[in-house]
Amino acid sequence: MRNIFLFIRRFFNLLLFFVLQGTAIYILATYNKTHQAFFASAANEVTGSISSKYNAVDYYFRLKQTNDQLAAENARLHNELSTSFQNPDTAHVLKIDSLLTDTLHRIRKFNFLEAKVVNNSISDENNYMTVHRGALQGVKNGMSVIGPDGIVGRVIQVSDNYSRVMSLLNHKSQVSAMLKRGFYQGIINWDGKDPQYIQLRGIPKSAQVRKGDSVLTSNLSGIFPPELMVGTIAGIDSDPSTSFYILNIKTATNFSTVQYVYLTENLLGEEQEKLEAKTPKD
Amino acid sequence: MSSLLKNIIRFVFFILVQAFVLDKVPPLHQYVKPIFYFLFILWLPFNINRSWQMIIAFVFGLCLDYFSGTPGLHSIPCVLIAYLRPFLLSILLPRETTETSYAEPSIKSLGTVPYGVYILLLTFIHNSCLVFIEWLQFGDFVFFIGKVAATTGVSLLLIFVTELLFPRKAKYRTNAA
Protein backbone atom coordinates (compact mmCIF):
# COMPACT_ATOMS: atom_id res chain seq x y z
CA MET A 1 0.00 0.00 0.00
CA ARG A 2 2.79 2.35 0.93
CA ASN A 3 4.42 1.65 -2.40
CA ILE A 4 1.26 2.64 -4.27
CA PHE A 5 1.15 5.99 -2.50
CA LEU A 6 4.85 6.50 -3.20
CA PHE A 7 4.27 5.66 -6.85
CA ILE A 8 1.37 8.14 -7.07
CA ARG A 9 3.44 10.86 -5.41
CA ARG A 10 6.39 10.17 -7.65
CA PHE A 11 4.44 10.23 -10.90
CA PHE A 12 1.68 12.63 -9.84
CA ASN A 13 2.33 15.06 -12.70
CA LEU A 14 2.39 12.35 -15.33
CA LEU A 15 -0.83 10.85 -13.97
CA LEU A 16 -2.50 14.27 -13.88
CA PHE A 17 -1.36 14.83 -17.47
CA PHE A 18 -3.01 11.58 -18.57
CA VAL A 19 -6.17 12.34 -16.60
CA LEU A 20 -6.54 15.81 -18.15
CA GLN A 21 -5.73 14.57 -21.66
CA GLY A 22 -8.18 11.71 -21.19
CA THR A 23 -10.91 14.11 -20.08
CA ALA A 24 -10.28 16.38 -23.06
CA ILE A 25 -10.31 13.46 -25.51
CA TYR A 26 -13.48 12.10 -23.92
CA ILE A 27 -15.18 15.52 -24.24
CA LEU A 28 -14.11 15.79 -27.90
CA ALA A 29 -15.15 12.22 -28.73
CA THR A 30 -18.62 12.48 -27.17
CA TYR A 31 -19.11 15.84 -28.86
CA ASN A 32 -18.16 14.44 -32.26
CA LYS A 33 -20.62 11.60 -31.83
CA THR A 34 -23.61 13.38 -30.39
CA HIS A 35 -23.00 17.16 -30.51
CA GLN A 36 -23.76 17.14 -26.78
CA ALA A 37 -21.08 19.17 -25.04
CA PHE A 38 -20.41 19.35 -21.31
CA PHE A 39 -21.91 22.44 -19.65
CA ALA A 40 -23.00 23.34 -23.18
CA SER A 41 -26.07 25.33 -22.26
CA ALA A 42 -24.35 27.33 -19.49
CA ALA A 43 -21.31 28.00 -21.71
CA ASN A 44 -23.60 28.89 -24.59
CA GLU A 45 -25.32 31.59 -22.53
CA VAL A 46 -22.00 33.16 -21.52
CA THR A 47 -20.27 33.07 -24.93
CA GLY A 48 -23.54 34.09 -26.58
CA SER A 49 -23.94 37.22 -24.49
CA ILE A 50 -20.29 38.23 -25.11
CA SER A 51 -20.74 37.56 -28.81
CA SER A 52 -23.87 39.68 -29.04
CA LYS A 53 -21.97 42.62 -27.48
CA TYR A 54 -19.23 42.18 -30.09
CA ASN A 55 -21.84 41.86 -32.82
CA ALA A 56 -23.49 45.14 -31.79
CA VAL A 57 -20.33 46.85 -33.06
CA ASP A 58 -19.68 44.55 -36.01
CA TYR A 59 -23.30 44.80 -37.21
CA TYR A 60 -23.01 48.58 -37.59
CA PHE A 61 -20.42 48.16 -40.33
CA ARG A 62 -22.64 45.79 -42.29
CA LEU A 63 -25.93 47.72 -42.08
CA LYS A 64 -25.88 48.68 -45.74
CA GLN A 65 -25.32 45.13 -47.02
CA THR A 66 -27.90 43.69 -44.62
CA ASN A 67 -30.45 46.28 -45.72
CA ASP A 68 -29.85 45.47 -49.40
CA GLN A 69 -30.22 41.75 -48.70
CA LEU A 70 -33.49 42.17 -46.83
CA ALA A 71 -34.91 44.60 -49.44
CA ALA A 72 -34.07 42.13 -52.24
CA GLU A 73 -35.74 39.35 -50.28
CA ASN A 74 -38.87 41.47 -49.71
CA ALA A 75 -39.07 42.18 -53.43
CA ARG A 76 -38.80 38.46 -54.18
CA LEU A 77 -41.58 37.64 -51.71
CA HIS A 78 -43.79 40.41 -53.12
CA ASN A 79 -43.41 38.83 -56.53
CA GLU A 80 -44.75 35.57 -55.16
CA LEU A 81 -47.86 37.11 -53.57
CA SER A 82 -51.11 36.01 -55.15
CA THR A 83 -52.10 39.67 -55.59
CA SER A 84 -49.16 40.14 -57.96
CA PHE A 85 -50.85 37.86 -60.49
CA GLN A 86 -54.00 38.53 -62.47
CA ASN A 87 -56.03 35.84 -64.06
CA PRO A 88 -56.62 36.77 -67.72
CA ASP A 89 -59.64 34.50 -68.03
CA THR A 90 -62.51 35.54 -65.74
CA ALA A 91 -64.48 32.42 -66.51
CA HIS A 92 -61.69 30.29 -65.17
CA VAL A 93 -62.17 29.57 -61.48
CA LEU A 94 -59.50 27.93 -59.41
CA LYS A 95 -61.01 25.21 -57.26
CA ILE A 96 -59.36 23.53 -54.35
CA ASP A 97 -60.05 19.84 -54.15
CA SER A 98 -61.75 19.54 -50.80
CA LEU A 99 -60.94 15.87 -50.50
CA LEU A 100 -57.22 16.51 -50.28
CA THR A 101 -57.22 19.54 -48.00
CA ASP A 102 -59.40 20.37 -45.07
CA THR A 103 -61.56 23.34 -46.00
CA LEU A 104 -61.73 24.60 -42.42
CA HIS A 105 -57.99 24.91 -41.93
CA ARG A 106 -55.08 24.14 -44.11
CA ILE A 107 -52.30 22.18 -42.49
CA ARG A 108 -49.24 24.25 -41.73
CA LYS A 109 -46.02 22.41 -42.47
CA PHE A 110 -43.33 25.02 -41.88
CA ASN A 111 -43.28 27.78 -39.29
CA PHE A 112 -40.59 30.50 -39.51
CA LEU A 113 -38.89 32.35 -36.64
CA GLU A 114 -36.49 35.18 -37.36
CA ALA A 115 -33.16 35.38 -35.52
CA LYS A 116 -30.12 37.63 -35.34
CA VAL A 117 -26.72 36.05 -36.00
CA VAL A 118 -24.41 37.12 -33.18
CA ASN A 119 -21.35 34.98 -33.84
CA ASN A 120 -20.16 33.37 -37.03
CA SER A 121 -16.92 31.73 -38.09
CA ILE A 122 -15.80 30.85 -41.60
CA SER A 123 -12.08 30.23 -41.20
CA ASP A 124 -12.19 27.02 -39.11
CA GLU A 125 -12.38 23.46 -40.38
CA ASN A 126 -15.75 23.05 -38.69
CA ASN A 127 -17.69 26.29 -38.60
CA TYR A 128 -20.51 27.20 -36.26
CA MET A 129 -22.80 30.19 -35.75
CA THR A 130 -24.55 31.49 -32.67
CA VAL A 131 -28.00 33.03 -33.09
CA HIS A 132 -29.86 35.13 -30.53
CA ARG A 133 -32.97 33.02 -30.03
CA GLY A 134 -33.26 29.99 -27.81
CA ALA A 135 -35.47 27.43 -26.13
CA LEU A 136 -37.55 30.14 -24.40
CA GLN A 137 -38.45 31.56 -27.82
CA GLY A 138 -39.33 28.18 -29.28
CA VAL A 139 -36.11 26.98 -30.90
CA LYS A 140 -35.60 23.22 -30.91
CA ASN A 141 -32.68 20.98 -31.76
CA GLY A 142 -32.54 20.01 -35.42
CA MET A 143 -34.37 23.04 -36.81
CA SER A 144 -33.15 24.18 -40.20
CA VAL A 145 -31.63 27.64 -40.69
CA ILE A 146 -32.26 29.73 -43.79
CA GLY A 147 -30.75 33.09 -44.75
CA PRO A 148 -32.26 35.79 -46.96
CA ASP A 149 -30.44 34.40 -50.03
CA GLY A 150 -30.32 30.67 -49.37
CA ILE A 151 -29.95 27.93 -46.80
CA VAL A 152 -27.43 28.29 -43.96
CA GLY A 153 -27.37 25.20 -41.71
CA ARG A 154 -28.98 23.35 -38.81
CA VAL A 155 -29.48 23.99 -35.09
CA ILE A 156 -27.41 21.57 -33.00
CA GLN A 157 -27.46 23.02 -29.47
CA VAL A 158 -30.05 25.12 -27.71
CA SER A 159 -29.78 27.08 -24.48
CA ASP A 160 -32.35 29.44 -22.93
CA ASN A 161 -31.71 32.49 -25.12
CA TYR A 162 -29.09 31.40 -27.67
CA SER A 163 -28.68 28.51 -30.02
CA ARG A 164 -25.71 27.12 -31.88
CA VAL A 165 -25.95 26.42 -35.60
CA MET A 166 -23.78 24.05 -37.61
CA SER A 167 -23.31 25.96 -40.86
CA LEU A 168 -22.96 24.37 -44.29
CA LEU A 169 -19.23 25.09 -43.95
CA ASN A 170 -18.70 22.10 -41.66
CA HIS A 171 -17.28 18.67 -42.40
CA LYS A 172 -20.18 17.04 -40.55
CA SER A 173 -22.88 18.92 -42.42
CA GLN A 174 -24.93 16.92 -44.93
CA VAL A 175 -27.88 18.35 -46.82
CA SER A 176 -30.00 16.68 -49.44
CA ALA A 177 -30.21 18.83 -52.58
CA MET A 178 -31.33 18.60 -56.20
CA LEU A 179 -30.63 20.24 -59.54
CA LYS A 180 -33.36 22.62 -60.71
CA ARG A 181 -32.88 21.21 -64.21
CA GLY A 182 -34.02 17.58 -64.14
CA PHE A 183 -34.55 17.21 -60.36
CA TYR A 184 -31.52 14.93 -59.89
CA GLN A 185 -30.93 14.32 -56.18
CA GLY A 186 -27.56 14.57 -54.47
CA ILE A 187 -25.85 15.31 -51.16
CA ILE A 188 -24.21 18.63 -50.28
CA ASN A 189 -21.10 18.68 -48.09
CA TRP A 190 -17.98 20.80 -47.69
CA ASP A 191 -14.34 19.89 -48.37
CA GLY A 192 -12.96 22.65 -46.10
CA LYS A 193 -11.01 24.47 -48.81
CA ASP A 194 -12.90 27.63 -49.73
CA PRO A 195 -15.81 29.09 -47.73
CA GLN A 196 -17.47 30.30 -50.93
CA TYR A 197 -17.78 26.86 -52.50
CA ILE A 198 -19.50 23.66 -51.32
CA GLN A 199 -19.66 20.29 -53.08
CA LEU A 200 -22.62 18.38 -54.48
CA ARG A 201 -22.07 14.64 -54.91
CA GLY A 202 -24.22 11.85 -56.27
CA ILE A 203 -25.46 13.47 -59.49
CA PRO A 204 -25.23 10.73 -62.21
CA LYS A 205 -23.18 11.48 -65.32
CA SER A 206 -26.28 11.00 -67.42
CA ALA A 207 -27.65 14.27 -66.05
CA GLN A 208 -27.34 17.40 -68.15
CA VAL A 209 -25.21 19.74 -66.07
CA ARG A 210 -24.16 23.23 -67.03
CA LYS A 211 -22.26 25.95 -65.24
CA GLY A 212 -24.64 28.48 -63.69
CA ASP A 213 -27.46 25.97 -63.09
CA SER A 214 -29.35 26.43 -59.82
CA VAL A 215 -29.18 23.89 -57.01
CA LEU A 216 -32.22 23.73 -54.69
CA THR A 217 -33.04 21.88 -51.49
CA SER A 218 -34.62 18.57 -52.38
CA ASN A 219 -38.17 17.42 -51.81
CA LEU A 220 -36.84 14.46 -49.85
CA SER A 221 -34.86 16.46 -47.30
CA GLY A 222 -37.66 16.54 -44.71
CA ILE A 223 -35.80 19.13 -42.66
CA PHE A 224 -35.52 22.02 -45.09
CA PRO A 225 -38.56 23.33 -46.95
CA PRO A 226 -38.29 22.07 -50.55
CA GLU A 227 -36.96 24.16 -53.44
CA LEU A 228 -35.00 26.73 -51.49
CA MET A 229 -31.89 28.15 -53.12
CA VAL A 230 -28.60 26.43 -52.18
CA GLY A 231 -26.31 27.90 -54.83
CA THR A 232 -25.26 27.76 -58.45
CA ILE A 233 -22.91 25.35 -60.19
CA ALA A 234 -19.46 26.89 -60.56
CA GLY A 235 -17.34 23.91 -61.60
CA ILE A 236 -17.93 20.40 -62.90
CA ASP A 237 -15.61 17.51 -61.99
CA SER A 238 -16.32 13.95 -63.00
CA ASP A 239 -15.15 11.33 -60.54
CA PRO A 240 -13.37 8.75 -62.78
CA SER A 241 -13.94 5.84 -60.38
CA THR A 242 -17.71 6.19 -60.19
CA SER A 243 -20.48 7.27 -62.51
CA PHE A 244 -21.18 10.43 -60.54
CA TYR A 245 -20.19 14.06 -60.88
CA ILE A 246 -18.57 16.11 -58.13
CA LEU A 247 -20.04 19.56 -58.62
CA ASN A 248 -18.54 22.70 -57.13
CA ILE A 249 -21.39 24.91 -55.93
CA LYS A 250 -21.05 28.63 -55.28
CA THR A 251 -23.18 29.20 -52.17
CA ALA A 252 -26.15 31.53 -52.52
CA THR A 253 -25.63 32.68 -48.93
CA ASN A 254 -22.60 34.85 -48.38
CA PHE A 255 -21.42 33.33 -45.10
CA SER A 256 -19.13 36.21 -44.22
CA THR A 257 -21.91 38.83 -44.21
CA VAL A 258 -25.07 36.98 -43.12
CA GLN A 259 -26.74 38.89 -40.25
CA TYR A 260 -30.35 37.70 -40.12
CA VAL A 261 -31.60 34.13 -40.51
CA TYR A 262 -34.91 32.30 -40.27
CA LEU A 263 -35.27 29.16 -38.19
CA THR A 264 -37.84 26.68 -39.36
CA GLU A 265 -38.95 23.18 -38.53
CA ASN A 266 -41.03 20.63 -40.38
CA LEU A 267 -44.11 20.40 -38.14
CA LEU A 268 -45.15 17.15 -39.79
CA GLY A 269 -41.65 15.64 -39.65
CA GLU A 270 -42.27 13.72 -36.45
CA GLU A 271 -45.31 12.02 -37.92
CA GLN A 272 -43.32 11.11 -41.04
CA GLU A 273 -40.47 9.69 -38.95
CA LYS A 274 -42.89 7.63 -36.86
CA LEU A 275 -44.46 6.16 -39.96
CA GLU A 276 -41.10 5.40 -41.55
CA ALA A 277 -39.89 3.72 -38.36
CA LYS A 278 -42.83 1.32 -38.59
CA THR A 279 -41.62 -0.05 -41.93
CA PRO A 280 -40.58 -3.68 -41.37
CA LYS A 281 -36.84 -4.09 -41.86
CA ASP A 282 -36.31 -7.37 -43.63
CA MET B 1 0.83 44.74 -10.43
CA SER B 2 0.85 41.32 -8.86
CA SER B 3 1.69 38.32 -10.97
CA LEU B 4 -1.71 36.73 -10.33
CA LEU B 5 -3.68 39.79 -11.48
CA LYS B 6 -1.46 40.19 -14.53
CA ASN B 7 -2.05 36.59 -15.59
CA ILE B 8 -5.81 36.81 -15.03
CA ILE B 9 -5.91 39.86 -17.33
CA ARG B 10 -3.77 38.01 -19.89
CA PHE B 11 -6.09 34.98 -19.71
CA VAL B 12 -9.11 37.11 -20.68
CA PHE B 13 -7.17 39.19 -23.19
CA PHE B 14 -5.71 36.22 -25.12
CA ILE B 15 -9.07 34.47 -25.36
CA LEU B 16 -10.86 37.60 -26.56
CA VAL B 17 -8.14 38.42 -29.11
CA GLN B 18 -8.19 34.87 -30.49
CA ALA B 19 -11.98 34.52 -30.54
CA PHE B 20 -12.96 37.99 -31.75
CA VAL B 21 -10.01 39.27 -33.77
CA LEU B 22 -7.96 36.42 -35.25
CA ASP B 23 -10.87 34.02 -35.82
CA LYS B 24 -12.75 36.79 -37.65
CA VAL B 25 -9.95 37.42 -40.14
CA PRO B 26 -11.13 36.40 -43.63
CA PRO B 27 -9.30 33.18 -44.55
CA LEU B 28 -6.49 33.59 -47.06
CA HIS B 29 -6.15 29.86 -47.66
CA GLN B 30 -7.33 26.69 -45.95
CA TYR B 31 -3.88 26.19 -44.39
CA VAL B 32 -3.20 29.74 -43.27
CA LYS B 33 -4.93 30.24 -39.93
CA PRO B 34 -3.60 32.62 -37.29
CA ILE B 35 -3.24 30.76 -33.97
CA PHE B 36 -1.80 32.82 -31.19
CA TYR B 37 -3.65 32.22 -27.91
CA PHE B 38 -1.23 29.58 -26.56
CA LEU B 39 1.36 32.32 -25.89
CA PHE B 40 -0.48 32.70 -22.56
CA ILE B 41 0.82 29.29 -21.50
CA LEU B 42 4.35 30.05 -22.74
CA TRP B 43 4.36 33.23 -20.66
CA LEU B 44 3.22 31.64 -17.38
CA PRO B 45 5.61 32.33 -14.48
CA PHE B 46 8.44 29.90 -13.67
CA ASN B 47 7.42 29.27 -10.12
CA ILE B 48 3.93 27.83 -10.68
CA ASN B 49 3.45 24.26 -9.56
CA ARG B 50 3.55 21.86 -12.54
CA SER B 51 0.15 20.38 -11.72
CA TRP B 52 -1.40 23.83 -11.58
CA GLN B 53 0.16 24.71 -14.94
CA MET B 54 -1.65 21.79 -16.55
CA ILE B 55 -4.96 22.55 -14.84
CA ILE B 56 -4.73 26.22 -15.90
CA ALA B 57 -3.90 25.16 -19.47
CA PHE B 58 -6.86 22.76 -19.52
CA VAL B 59 -9.32 25.43 -18.35
CA PHE B 60 -7.79 27.98 -20.74
CA GLY B 61 -8.14 25.63 -23.72
CA LEU B 62 -11.68 24.69 -22.76
CA CYS B 63 -12.71 28.38 -22.51
CA LEU B 64 -11.50 29.00 -26.05
CA ASP B 65 -13.21 25.81 -27.21
CA TYR B 66 -16.59 27.06 -26.08
CA PHE B 67 -16.10 30.18 -28.21
CA SER B 68 -14.97 28.30 -31.29
CA GLY B 69 -17.57 25.54 -31.02
CA THR B 70 -15.69 22.25 -30.68
CA PRO B 71 -15.14 21.37 -26.99
CA GLY B 72 -11.84 19.57 -26.35
CA LEU B 73 -10.11 20.53 -29.59
CA HIS B 74 -7.86 23.22 -28.09
CA SER B 75 -7.55 21.76 -24.58
CA ILE B 76 -5.60 18.72 -25.78
CA PRO B 77 -2.62 20.65 -27.30
CA CYS B 78 -2.74 23.18 -24.41
CA VAL B 79 -2.34 20.48 -21.75
CA LEU B 80 0.41 18.86 -23.85
CA ILE B 81 2.56 21.99 -24.05
CA ALA B 82 1.91 22.80 -20.38
CA TYR B 83 3.24 19.33 -19.53
CA LEU B 84 6.32 19.63 -21.77
CA ARG B 85 7.16 23.24 -20.83
CA PRO B 86 9.02 22.56 -17.53
CA PHE B 87 11.25 19.90 -19.17
CA LEU B 88 12.19 22.26 -21.98
CA LEU B 89 12.82 25.15 -19.57
CA SER B 90 15.09 23.04 -17.38
CA ILE B 91 17.20 22.22 -20.46
CA LEU B 92 17.29 25.77 -21.83
CA LEU B 93 17.79 27.72 -18.61
CA PRO B 94 21.34 28.90 -17.99
CA ARG B 95 23.13 27.14 -15.14
CA GLU B 96 23.00 30.23 -12.97
CA THR B 97 19.96 30.91 -10.89
CA THR B 98 17.78 32.47 -13.57
CA GLU B 99 14.78 30.67 -12.26
CA THR B 100 15.04 32.40 -8.95
CA SER B 101 15.90 35.84 -10.26
CA TYR B 102 13.34 36.29 -13.06
CA ALA B 103 9.57 35.85 -12.92
CA GLU B 104 8.67 34.43 -16.32
CA PRO B 105 10.20 33.37 -19.68
CA SER B 106 11.16 36.31 -21.88
CA ILE B 107 14.00 37.35 -24.19
CA LYS B 108 15.77 38.98 -21.27
CA SER B 109 15.43 36.16 -18.78
CA LEU B 110 16.40 33.32 -21.14
CA GLY B 111 18.53 35.04 -23.77
CA THR B 112 17.54 35.54 -27.40
CA VAL B 113 18.56 32.17 -28.84
CA PRO B 114 17.23 29.90 -26.05
CA TYR B 115 13.97 31.90 -25.94
CA GLY B 116 13.66 31.54 -29.73
CA VAL B 117 14.18 27.78 -29.50
CA TYR B 118 11.68 27.58 -26.63
CA ILE B 119 9.00 29.45 -28.62
CA LEU B 120 9.74 27.61 -31.87
CA LEU B 121 9.59 24.11 -30.36
CA LEU B 122 6.44 24.60 -28.31
CA THR B 123 4.66 26.41 -31.17
CA PHE B 124 5.52 23.54 -33.48
CA ILE B 125 4.35 20.92 -30.96
CA HIS B 126 1.13 22.79 -30.23
CA ASN B 127 0.20 23.31 -33.88
CA SER B 128 1.13 19.75 -34.89
CA CYS B 129 -1.07 18.36 -32.13
CA LEU B 130 -3.97 20.65 -33.09
CA VAL B 131 -3.75 19.83 -36.79
CA PHE B 132 -3.24 16.13 -36.01
CA ILE B 133 -6.64 16.03 -34.27
CA GLU B 134 -8.22 17.66 -37.31
CA TRP B 135 -6.35 15.32 -39.63
CA LEU B 136 -7.75 12.27 -37.80
CA GLN B 137 -11.26 13.40 -38.67
CA PHE B 138 -10.69 14.40 -42.29
CA GLY B 139 -8.02 15.43 -44.73
CA ASP B 140 -4.96 13.80 -46.24
CA PHE B 141 -1.25 13.88 -45.42
CA VAL B 142 -0.57 16.96 -47.57
CA PHE B 143 -3.18 18.75 -45.45
CA PHE B 144 -1.29 17.78 -42.29
CA ILE B 145 2.16 18.87 -43.51
CA GLY B 146 0.92 22.01 -45.23
CA LYS B 147 -1.24 23.21 -42.38
CA VAL B 148 1.40 22.55 -39.69
CA ALA B 149 4.01 24.48 -41.71
CA ALA B 150 1.69 27.38 -42.56
CA THR B 151 0.13 27.81 -39.10
CA THR B 152 3.53 27.55 -37.38
CA GLY B 153 4.90 30.26 -39.67
CA VAL B 154 1.95 32.56 -39.02
CA SER B 155 2.06 31.90 -35.25
CA LEU B 156 5.79 32.67 -35.06
CA LEU B 157 5.27 35.89 -37.00
CA LEU B 158 2.45 36.96 -34.65
CA ILE B 159 4.54 36.14 -31.55
CA PHE B 160 7.50 38.08 -32.98
CA VAL B 161 5.29 41.12 -33.61
CA THR B 162 3.82 40.84 -30.10
CA GLU B 163 7.30 40.75 -28.56
CA LEU B 164 8.21 43.91 -30.49
CA LEU B 165 4.98 45.74 -29.64
CA PHE B 166 4.73 44.81 -25.98
CA PRO B 167 8.22 44.61 -24.49
CA ARG B 168 7.79 43.04 -21.06
CA LYS B 169 9.89 44.43 -18.30
CA ALA B 170 11.67 41.36 -16.98
CA LYS B 171 12.23 42.54 -13.47
CA TYR B 172 14.37 40.81 -10.91
CA ARG B 173 12.45 39.06 -8.23
CA THR B 174 13.65 40.27 -4.88
CA ASN B 175 13.01 38.92 -1.46
CA ALA B 176 10.95 41.98 -0.66
CA ALA B 177 8.38 41.26 -3.33
Side-chain angles (χ1 to χ4, degrees):
Chain A
M1 200 62 192
R2 191 168 160 273
N3 283 334
I4 295 173
F5 283 124
L6 276 178
F7 178 82
I8 290 176
R9 270 182 73 178
R10 172 113 171 65
F11 291 104
F12 180 71
N13 283 315
L14 188 67
L15 288 174
L16 184 71
F17 171 69
F18 282 126
V19 168
L20 287 177
Q21 279 305 44
T23 320
I25 291 169
Y26 178 69
I27 291 174
L28 184 64
T30 38
Y31 177 76
N32 278 344
K33 225 186 274 171
T34 60
H35 286 302
Q36 292 302 314
F38 289 77
F39 317 117
S41 82
N44 220 357
E45 285 292 302
V46 176
T47 56
S49 66
I50 297 173
S51 295
S52 58
K53 287 196 180 70
Y54 171 85
N55 183 263
V57 179
D58 185 52
Y59 180 43
Y60 184 76
F61 294 100
R62 301 184 197 277
L63 281 177
K64 199 166 171 292
Q65 279 166 317
T66 310
N67 196 23
D68 289 348
Q69 263 179 358
L70 296 180
E73 194 199 9
N74 266 338
R76 189 167 57 76
L77 293 177
H78 269 299
N79 282 331
E80 284 175 10
L81 277 180
S82 58
T83 50
S84 306
F85 298 94
Q86 199 174 22
N87 226 333
D89 183 3
T90 47
H92 178 86
V93 181
L94 197 68
K95 276 191 182 164
I96 295 170
D97 190 344
S98 58
L99 285 177
L100 286 177
T101 55
D102 193 338
T103 47
L104 290 176
H105 64 282
R106 287 201 277 171
I107 297 169
R108 178 177 274 283
K109 195 173 175 192
F110 292 101
N111 189 20
F112 290 83
L113 308 166
E114 110 291 342
K116 176 88 184 63
V117 177
V118 292
N119 189 15
N120 182 13
S121 75
I122 56 169
S123 58
D124 285 326
E125 290 295 329
N126 287 325
N127 294 294
Y128 299 91
M129 277 182 193
T130 311
V131 297
H132 196 164
R133 219 180 221 283
L136 294 181
Q137 291 89 38
V139 180
K140 286 174 207 150
N141 242 341
M143 280 178 123
S144 55
V145 183
I146 299 153
D149 301 321
I151 64 165
V152 170
R154 284 187 72 180
V155 175
I156 52 162
Q157 283 171 14
V158 181
S159 65
D160 281 352
N161 295 299
Y162 295 91
S163 33
R164 211 121 169 86
V165 175
M166 178 165 78
S167 83
L168 289 187
L169 306 180
N170 192 309
H171 285 268
K172 289 171 218 144
S173 153
Q174 280 206 335
V175 176
S176 170
M178 66 180 183
L179 295 181
K180 194 177 181 186
R181 182 207 299 274
F183 303 112
Y184 287 97
Q185 308 273 346
I187 297 282
I188 292 271
N189 43 30
W190 189 51
D191 64 359
K193 291 213 171 74
D194 191 331
Q196 291 191 327
Y197 296 95
I198 49 182
Q199 279 66 41
L200 174 61
R201 287 159 211 274
I203 301 293
K205 282 176 184 165
S206 59
Q208 280 191 341
V209 178
R210 274 190 231 150
K211 273 188 190 174
D213 276 3
S214 299
V215 178
L216 309 175
T217 51
S218 99
N219 300 321
L220 305 180
S221 149
I223 307 152
F224 283 98
E227 302 190 12
L228 284 175
M229 193 68 179
V230 177
T232 50
I233 297 177
I236 302 167
D237 275 333
S238 57
D239 187 353
S241 60
T242 65
S243 58
F244 297 110
Y245 283 121
I246 301 172
L247 301 172
N248 228 6
I249 311 291
K250 175 131 180 34
T251 56
T253 305
N254 185 347
F255 281 94
S256 53
T257 61
V258 64
Q259 289 288 335
Y260 274 98
V261 291
Y262 306 100
L263 307 176
T264 186
E265 114 185 275
N266 185 348
L267 299 171
L268 305 179
E270 205 178 319
E271 189 184 329
Q272 186 187 341
E273 268 172 32
K274 252 187 215 164
L275 181 66
E276 283 170 357
K278 275 184 198 162
T279 316
K281 297 185 187 80
D282 53 15
Chain B
M1 208 189 318
S2 81
S3 170
L4 178 69
L5 185 62
K6 198 163 70 182
N7 277 293
I8 289 173
I9 293 172
R10 269 186 203 160
F11 187 108
V12 177
F13 173 79
F14 274 108
I15 283 187
L16 291 183
V17 165
Q18 181 69 40
F20 289 112
V21 180
L22 295 177
D23 285 353
K24 301 287 177 191
V25 175
L28 208 61
H29 186 270
Q30 186 190 7
Y31 297 160
V32 183
K33 187 172 187 316
I35 304 168
F36 165 70
Y37 67 99
F38 59 90
L39 192 57
F40 169 77
I41 295 162
L42 305 191
W43 279 2
L44 281 176
F46 289 122
N47 60 349
I48 292 189
N49 188 342
R50 283 181 58 194
S51 320
W52 275 112
Q53 277 184 31
M54 280 189 281
I55 292 168
I56 291 169
F58 180 74
V59 174
F60 180 73
L62 210 58
C63 280
L64 188 71
D65 284 332
Y66 281 121
F67 276 98
S68 67
T70 319
L73 180 64
H74 292 100
S75 353
I76 295 169
C78 276
V79 173
L80 179 67
I81 58 169
Y83 178 72
L84 294 178
R85 196 183 92 118
F87 295 113
L88 198 61
L89 279 176
S90 66
I91 298 168
L92 289 171
L93 280 178
R95 278 298 111 201
E96 299 96 67
T97 54
T98 315
E99 201 161 340
T100 50
S101 53
Y102 284 99
E104 57 190 35
S106 69
I107 296 175
K108 257 196 194 140
S109 63
L110 287 180
T112 315
V113 177
Y115 184 68
V117 173
Y118 167 71
I119 292 284
L120 178 76
L121 269 179
L122 287 184
T123 306
F124 179 73
I125 292 169
H126 174 275
N127 288 352
S128 316
C129 180
L130 188 66
V131 179
F132 181 72
I133 299 166
E134 287 178 342
W135 178 45
L136 287 180
Q137 301 172 37
F138 42 77
D140 46 20
F141 195 63
V142 181
F143 167 85
F144 180 68
I145 296 290
K147 191 157 181 182
V148 168
T151 50
T152 306
V154 174
S155 298
L156 288 175
L157 185 72
L158 282 171
I159 292 171
F160 181 66
V161 170
T162 317
E163 291 286 349
L164 288 183
L165 284 177
F166 304 100
R168 287 169 298 149
K169 279 174 240 131
K171 58 168 188 264
Y172 273 106
R173 279 173 59 216
T174 53
N175 290 331

